[in-house]
Structure formats: structure tokens, C-alpha cells
Amino acid sequence: MRPRVSGTAARESSSADPRRDTPALALPFAAVAGIGLLTVVLPPYDRPWWVAGLAALSLVPVVIVFFVSQRRDEASWLHPLAAYLLFPYAALLHDAAGASAGGSASGMSVFLLLPILWLAITGTLRQLWVASALAVLTFAIPILVIGAPSYPSGDWRRAVVWAAVALVIAPVLQRIVRDLERQGRRARVASERVERLFDDAPHGVALLDPAGRIIRVNTSMAVLVGLDPPEMVGHELGAFESPGEDRIQDHVVRLVSGRDQALESECTLRDSGGNDVSVSLSSTVVGDRGMGEVIMVNVVDISDRRRYLDRLSHLADHDVLTGLANRRRFESELQRHLDRCRRHGPTGALLLLDLDNFKQVNDSLGHNAGDQLLVTIGGLLRRAVRDTDVVARLGGDEFGVILTDGDQDGATRVGHSIVDLVRAHAATLDGVRRRVTASVGAVTFKAASEHATDILALADMTMYDAKDAGRNQIAVLPEGELRPPRSAARLLWQSRIEAALEHDRFELHLQPIMNLADDRITSAEVLLRLREEDELVPPSRFVYIAERVGLMPLVDAWVVEHSVEMLAKLRRIDPTFALEVNLSGHSIGRPDVEQAICDSLTVHDVDPSALILEITETAAVGDVALARAFAERITDLGCAFALDDFGAGFGSFYYLKHLLFDYVKIDGEFVAHVHESQVDRTILRSIVGIARDLGKRTVAEFVSSPDILAVCRAEGVDLAQGFLIGKPVPYDEFVSTFLTAQVALPTA
């Protein structure tokens, strides 16, 4: 069985050997040969009938060779032997015609052109030489065998002429034919290449008539809409567009009208499964000799790019962690609602929410736990309001809610609902997250218009009213009252803090620390107070404001300068006395604070080892590398460090290992009930043991009773601090109470 040849292989075979074609090329030769035979057999004729019969029989092997060669794959379908066998046929016709003409001057010798032309078109140059030799023999043999008078020697001239035709003219014709074949082959290859490029293009290609109807599409185009190419032909390309859109029709009209020679646009196709596919159209009008003007449309699937761009657009307006709107989107929606209120009257409210004690979650349980809590709170807020309302994460643990409609009562109800939801959710969690609550500030747009103040600032101040009132609640700015939020005082606190720095209105109180080895007060912790007329303001009321407005480094620098000055006086009373000074996390690594430490120690000529800088564990958590570098630089001066609130954070022992601390101040939560709780006592014992092994001293905070003090002694705590030892007092009272005469403490 002959092997099947694929269409591509057939095309390649045809291109490689153009002579292998249909037998149609043999028909003209056959027709001429038949006409020649017919002229011989028609009367009058003088030669015997068998001459014409021999001529007819001589065509039989030509036909046989031709059909036999058709079944041979390795040979050209026009086998040269068939051409060679035409020479005896031509000789017989020449002889018969010459006899009937009364001599050798026969016009039938023209039939020698049949094999010569045959081989010039289909043969090789060598085969033409063979044909030339056969042409000469066709004339020479009768002259030599039969001779005059039938075949005079003058026939040699005719033989020479035919040999020249075969050797000179036929090769020229052959070159012409070969050139035409090569050009045709190149044209076919180019056409096939164009066909393959069209059919195999990785993107969709469609040819349209000026009316937008599909003339032809490639496979990729058909795949885009889930059909076969023939099913799309004849339909308008716009018929495959998503319902309700007419971008393709407009695209075609603009091209045909000549407004654009090349045009790009985007549209959405609807595939056979009902799915939308975003595509980019790139079209141009091309001329075609057969069809006139044709619109060629390149169609590229940009669904992935569109999804990527949509994702980028979403990320630009939404918080990555919670999926809620971000501050940028929130401010845009707020401005849009304010414009609406100006046109149609104020309605709705703005709520700002801040999570209480959230920092402890990050510090004690890690940032992953904090992130998960934020995601959960975001979901709770989204479910607590309507779909038309806007919920956003403004940064950190702060959220904003825009209620697009409603009054003050409605805003109050939503605020209470949010507070209850957060508290209820936190109650189901373990550890420090139980203490997470929400402080909410609510301001209606009507109240904001009455105050003629930025509603975002009013809501922020109102939220801090909730915090100052004890947290875990909502504060609402009443409508119809011009009294500003109580936390508007926070805006005044900045100027008050700045004034206190300028006019030395801060005061330093000292809380004694007892050395349990000899029950002597050998050091004290410096605690900051702010004098406001007759009121002494504790740091809890203004430190967070100073941190929020960026004034804390200045405050810490003031504290350091005055603490070192106080330390110099205390050491004149007790040369071994030491002071512990708290530093805010906002001051760690600040050059101005470091410079204040160095300058103060130099100015007052104080031994640096007498200055103990306290850094809370939560401050160290913020940036361990920064805290370590700061501690290394200050330690090089000779100062000591204490890690405050040790045990309150998740990474306590990690920081104890990686940071340079001389003292470990045990968090009061593990000390306050150590005489009643075996768990607290075990924790206390483990902290003391680890600190001792690391060469660090321990300080127990919240020592408020003799029983607690006794446990601390028994477990090996080095220093004790608390109301039992002494409350914070001004400098003069501290000196008179704790340094002039050491007071005996009650025992358990």
C-alpha cells in the first residue's frame, strides 16, 4: 500500500518538483501527435497502409511508458523514455508524408518538435542532448540506409538545422521554463507562508468587507469566541460583541470613512459559553485585486492584562490586608459626600474607630496575630453597616465609616453596635486580645456644618473623647451645640507642651527603688509631671499626645537634661546613688536625644554609670536593630540600660538575648499577685533565674505589700519598687524622706 501523504507534505513535494503535476500537460502533445497521424491516413496517399499503421503502433509504447511512470513515486510523471519513443513516430510520419508529397521534402518533420519541446519543458539538459542526437539520426538513418533519390544528401542540412534547434534553442527555452517554475515555486511558497501565518497566528485575525462582515478568520480568532472558523464567516464581527456595546461597529465605520488609516481600540466579545473576553482591536484597510478594499483586524486577548490593571486599580483604592477602602479612597468618598451635602443638605455621619490596646497584640503575640485581628475587625465593620456605606482602614488600627444617610440617633446606634461587636469578638480570644476594645468618635455632617470645621478633625477629636472617657465606648458630637469636642483640647495640648518646654513647666518626681540586699534606697525612677496652674498633670494625659504630634523627643531631651542635673545633686548626698530615666520609643536613635545625654553628663560631671536609661519592651519591639545600635552607642559612654515591663511582650527573652540591658524590670502583672498565685511566682522565679544567669539584675515593680516583698526576697529579686517602698514625690521630699533617714519597712 502506498503511504498517505499529508496536505503539508504534498504541498512541499509539489513545490520541490513542479514537474510532478496532473497529466494535463500531456494532452497538447497527444493532440498534435494525433493530428499528425490523421494527416497521414487521410487520402490521397501513395505508401502502403502499413506505414500509417506502424506510426500508430509507435504511439502505443509512448502511452504505456507514460502510464507506467505514473505509478512510480521516485520518477517524474513525464518520463524521458516516452519522449524518446516519439522520435520513431516522427520519423514514420516524415517518411509517409514525404512519399505522398513525391519526395523527401516533407513538412511533417515539424513533429520532431514534440519530443524536443517535451524535454525542454520537463527534462534535463542531458536529455536534450540525447534528443538532439535522435533528431539527427531521424534524418541520417534514411539517408544512409535508403539513400537517393528518396532521401538525397540534401537532407543533411535539415538534420543540422534540427540539431541546432535541439542544442541551442531548446536549452534557452528550458532556462525560461525553469525560471518560470522557480518564480511560480517562490510565489507558491510565499502564498503558503502567508496562509500559515494567517492560520497559525497566535492572536486572532479577521478579514472583513467594508460592511464589517467576516470574509475569513483564523483558528485563534474562532477559539476566542468558541466557534469553528466557517461558522463565523458571513456574520458581522459586531455580532460577537457583548450585548449593549457597539464599539466594533464604530471601529469599522471610522476605518471605512477614511478618518483613520489604522485604528486601535478595545472592546468585549461574548463567547459561545456566555463569558466576556476583553480584546484589543488593531485594524487597517488593505487593497485586494480580487475583493477590493478589505479590513484586516488583529484581535488580541487582553483579559489577563485587564484583570491585572483592574487589580492595580483595586489596590490603589483598597487596603491590601483587609480589602477595605484605603485612606485615598476614603477621602475621595468623603469629598463626594460633602459635595452631595452642599447640594441637598447635610445627612449621614462620619465615624472614626481606633482599637484600644492593639499594640499589645503585636508586641505579645506577633504581627501575624495583629494582622489577623485587623482582618476580622474589618469584616465586623463591613457587616455592621449598609452596602451603601463606606468602610475604610485609614492606617494601623484606625478605621473610618461614612454613613451616607441617617441622623445622630442612627449614628449612635451604629457606633454602639461596633463597640459591642469588637468587645464580643475579643472576649472569645485568648491572651492579651481579651483587652482589645474599640473607641469610636461619631460626628454627623449636620453637626460638622454647625461647627464650620473639618469633619475628619472633629471625628478624630471626638474619638479621643471616647479614649479619655475610659475607652471601649462611643463619643458623639451633639448637634445644636457649639461646644467643641473635649479632645479638641488635644489640639491645644501641642501648644501647652511646647510652652511647658519653653518655660520649664515640667516637673520631675522620684519614686524610690530599694536594694533588697541591704534594704537601702540606692536608686530612684524619674517620673514626669506637667504643672498646669494648681493642677499636676500625670504623663498618661499628655505623653501619647506628645508622641502623636512628634514632640516626644524634645520632651525626653528635657527630661534627660534635668534628670542628670538632679542626679549630680543626689550623688553629692550619696555618691553611689543612681537614677532611672524613661525614654519613649520615639526617642530611640534620635541624634538630639543622644546629644542631650552626652552634653548633660559632661556639663554636670556625672559618672555615666549612675544614669540608667529605661526602654520599655514595647519600644524595643518597634525596631530591634535600631534599639541595639542605640544601646551600644550609649553603653560606650558608660551608661546602663534597663528593660522595662519585662514579660509583657511575646518576645521578651528574645530581646533579653539580643539587646544590651543591665537591669530587667519585671512587669507588675507578674508581681502584683505573686503572693497569691503559684503561676505568677513560678514565672517570677524563672525570670530571676534567667536574668541572674545572664549577669543582669532584676527589679520587681508593683511591690505594694509586705507579702509581695517577702516573696520577692525569697525568689532572689535584687531591687524592689512600688507603693510599699514609696510613692513618687518631688525632689526635696524625696531627699528628706528617703536619703536623710532610711525608713524601716513593715515585714510580712
Side-chain angles (χ1 to χ4, degrees):
M1 180 179 293
R2 296 173 66 187
R4 296 184 61 187
V5 181
S6 66
T8 302
R11 288 197 301 268
E12 293 175 351
S13 174
S14 175
S15 299
D17 188 359
R19 294 172 295 170
R20 178 169 291 282
D21 205 341
T22 65
L25 185 61
L27 293 179
F29 292 93
V32 173
I35 291 172
L37 182 63
L38 184 62
T39 59
V40 173
V41 299
L42 287 176
Y45 45 83
D46 299 326
R47 291 296 178 97
W49 61 267
W50 55 267
V51 175
L54 285 175
L57 288 175
S58 67
L59 288 177
V60 173
V62 174
V63 174
I64 292 173
V65 171
F66 169 74
F67 282 108
V68 169
S69 66
Q70 285 296 292
R71 303 184 62 84
R72 299 175 61 191
D73 291 332
E74 68 277 4
S76 170
W77 70 269
L78 283 176
H79 198 281
L81 181 59
Y84 298 153
L85 290 175
L86 279 175
F87 281 98
Y89 170 75
L92 287 170
L93 289 182
H94 168 67
D95 178 74
S100 64
S104 63
S106 172
M108 300 302 288
S109 61
V110 72
F111 281 99
L112 290 175
L113 281 173
L114 286 178
I116 293 174
L117 290 176
W118 187 323
L119 293 174
I121 295 173
T122 66
T124 64
L125 185 60
R126 178 180 297 178
Q127 291 167 358
L128 277 178
W129 291 345
V130 174
S132 300
L134 291 175
V136 172
L137 290 176
T138 300
F139 289 99
I141 290 175
I143 295 174
L144 297 174
V145 175
I146 300 175
S150 298
Y151 295 96
S153 60
D155 278 355
W156 283 109
R157 292 189 292 269
R158 188 177 293 115
V160 171
V161 171
W162 281 107
V165 169
L167 291 175
V168 178
I169 297 178
V172 173
L173 177 63
Q174 188 178 64
R175 283 196 298 271
I176 294 173
V177 171
R178 290 293 181 267
D179 289 342
L180 292 175
E181 286 179 352
R182 283 193 292 270
Q183 293 176 9
R185 184 161 57 248
R186 284 195 294 265
R188 285 192 298 272
V189 170
S191 177
E192 291 173 359
R193 184 179 296 114
V194 170
E195 292 290 325
R196 286 196 295 270
L197 288 174
F198 184 90
D199 291 333
D200 301 337
H203 57 268
V205 183
L207 299 180
L208 313 179
D209 63 17
R213 287 186 296 272
I214 297 174
I215 300 172
R216 183 180 177 186
V217 297
N218 68 348
T219 303
S220 297
M221 180 66 203
V223 168
L224 280 177
V225 295
L227 299 173
D228 291 328
E231 295 178 299
M232 300 182 65
V233 174
H235 295 281
E236 291 187 1
L237 183 59
F240 301 98
E241 195 171 11
S242 293
E245 295 190 7
D246 56 357
R247 297 184 182 179
I248 294 180
Q249 183 62 30
D250 178 69
H251 185 89
V252 172
V253 169
R254 291 181 62 182
L255 278 169
V256 174
S257 65
R259 285 181 288 172
D260 299 281
Q261 293 183 348
L263 184 63
E264 294 184 0
S265 60
E266 295 182 2
C267 67
T268 304
L269 300 180
R270 177 68 59 84
D271 66 15
S272 59
N275 302 309
D276 288 337
V277 182
S278 297
V279 297
S280 172
L281 305 180
S282 177
S283 306
T284 186
V285 178
V286 296
D288 185 274
R289 286 179 295 180
M291 296 181 290
E293 287 191 342
V294 176
I295 301 173
M296 185 172 69
V297 184
N298 291 296
V299 184
V300 179
D301 185 353
I302 59 171
S303 300
D304 290 340
R305 186 176 74 182
R306 176 58 57 83
R307 283 190 291 269
Y308 177 72
L309 292 176
D310 290 344
R311 177 62 176 164
L312 286 180
S313 176
H314 178 84
L315 292 176
D317 288 331
H318 291 79
D319 176 57
V320 177
L321 178 63
T322 63
L324 300 176
N326 59 13
R327 179 176 285 276
R328 176 177 177 271
R329 175 69 178 278
F330 180 80
E331 291 176 349
S332 174
E333 293 292 339
L334 178 60
Q335 186 59 49
R336 184 179 293 111
H337 189 75
L338 287 171
D339 293 340
R340 173 191 171 195
C341 291
R342 278 191 289 270
R343 291 193 302 268
H344 306 292
T347 182
L350 173 64
L351 280 66
L352 286 188
L353 159 70
D354 191 81
L355 297 180
D356 307 318
N357 303 314
F358 176 75
K359 194 175 189 312
Q360 296 183 21
V361 177
N362 283 334
D363 296 341
S364 59
L365 299 178
H367 288 281
N368 288 337
D371 290 347
Q372 184 57 48
L373 181 58
L374 290 175
V375 172
T376 303
I377 297 298
L380 293 176
L381 293 177
R382 184 70 268 176
R383 291 190 294 271
V385 299
R386 299 162 299 192
D387 291 339
T388 56
D389 298 328
V390 180
V391 180
R393 182 187 176 205
L394 304 182
D397 59 342
E398 188 175 8
F399 296 84
V401 179
I402 300 175
L403 304 178
T404 55
D405 288 298
D407 53 14
Q408 182 168 293
D409 291 339
T412 303
R413 286 194 299 272
V414 172
H416 280 300
S417 174
I418 291 173
V419 171
D420 293 341
L421 285 172
V422 173
R423 181 175 58 246
H425 175 72
T428 65
L429 305 176
D430 296 328
V432 72
R433 284 179 285 181
R434 291 179 180 273
R435 298 199 294 269
V436 174
T437 56
S439 295
V440 179
V443 178
T444 64
F445 287 91
K446 181 178 179 181
S449 65
E450 293 171 349
H451 284 76
T453 305
D454 179 60
I455 189 171
L456 200 56
L458 289 172
D460 187 62
M461 291 183 288
T462 306
M463 179 184 70
Y464 276 92
D465 282 352
K467 284 187 174 293
D468 291 343
R471 307 185 179 188
N472 190 29
Q473 58 187 285
I474 177 177
V476 181
L477 182 65
E479 295 177 355
E481 296 184 14
L482 296 181
R483 177 183 61 82
R486 289 189 301 274
S487 285
R490 186 170 66 88
L491 299 180
L492 301 176
W493 269 111
Q494 180 173 353
S495 61
R496 293 167 68 181
I497 294 171
E498 291 172 345
L501 288 169
E502 183 178 357
H503 302 292
D504 282 340
R505 293 176 184 166
F506 286 118
E507 294 184 9
L508 298 180
H509 286 201
L510 301 175
Q511 184 173 21
I513 300 175
M514 175 182 285
N515 188 332
L516 298 187
D518 55 12
D519 291 345
R520 293 182 64 252
I521 305 299
T522 56
S523 59
E525 180 177 357
V526 178
L527 301 173
L528 183 64
R529 304 289 187 265
L530 174 60
R531 175 67 65 180
E532 284 285 338
E533 297 177 354
D534 295 332
E535 180 185 9
L536 199 61
V537 182
S540 59
R541 289 183 54 187
F542 63 84
V543 164
Y544 78 93
I545 299 175
E547 291 178 338
R548 193 173 181 88
V549 299
L551 290 174
M552 203 59 212
L554 294 176
V555 173
D556 278 345
W558 187 95
V559 170
V560 167
E561 292 171 0
H562 289 77
S563 296
V564 173
E565 180 183 1
M566 186 182 295
L567 177 59
K569 292 189 293 184
L570 289 170
R571 286 178 67 83
R572 284 195 286 269
I573 301 172
D574 181 354
T576 63
F577 200 83
L579 272 187
E580 295 185 2
V581 180
N582 288 285
L583 287 182
S584 166
H586 294 260
S587 299
I588 295 176
R590 286 290 298 260
D592 48 351
V593 176
E594 291 188 32
Q595 192 63 44
I597 296 171
C598 297
D599 292 346
S600 299
L601 292 172
T602 301
V603 169
H604 299 289
D605 192 23
V606 174
D607 183 0
S609 64
L611 180 63
I612 304 170
L613 299 174
E614 284 191 17
I615 298 179
T616 60
E617 182 184 323
T618 53
V621 171
D623 192 330
V624 175
L626 182 65
R628 181 179 180 86
F630 174 75
E632 288 175 347
R633 290 193 298 271
I634 300 302
T635 301
D636 290 340
L637 293 176
C639 299
F641 273 89
L643 181 59
D644 199 9
D645 297 335
F646 183 83
F650 181 73
S652 299
F653 293 104
Y654 174 83
Y655 303 117
L656 190 64
K657 174 182 177 182
H658 290 281
L659 297 177
L660 303 178
F661 291 102
D662 304 281
Y663 296 87
V664 174
K665 300 193 74 170
I666 304 169
D667 187 73
E669 183 174 339
F670 303 112
V671 178
H673 303 286
V674 72
H675 60 299
E676 302 171 336
S677 170
Q678 187 58 42
V679 173
D680 288 349
R681 184 162 185 167
T682 301
I683 293 173
L684 177 69
R685 183 185 305 124
S686 65
I687 294 174
V688 171
I690 292 174
R692 183 182 295 114
D693 291 342
L694 295 176
K696 303 181 188 299
R697 306 187 71 191
T698 52
V699 182
E701 298 180 303
F702 285 28
V703 177
S704 57
S705 71
D707 293 336
I708 297 175
L709 181 62
V711 174
C712 291
R713 289 182 189 277
E715 297 300 340
V717 175
D718 297 302
L719 303 161
Q721 178 181 357
F723 284 179
L724 177 66
I725 310 300
K727 296 181 179 181
V729 293
Y731 172 80
D732 292 337
E733 184 177 348
F734 178 84
V735 171
S736 63
T737 304
F738 298 105
L739 293 188
T740 304
Q742 296 284 341
V743 179
L745 296 174
T747 57

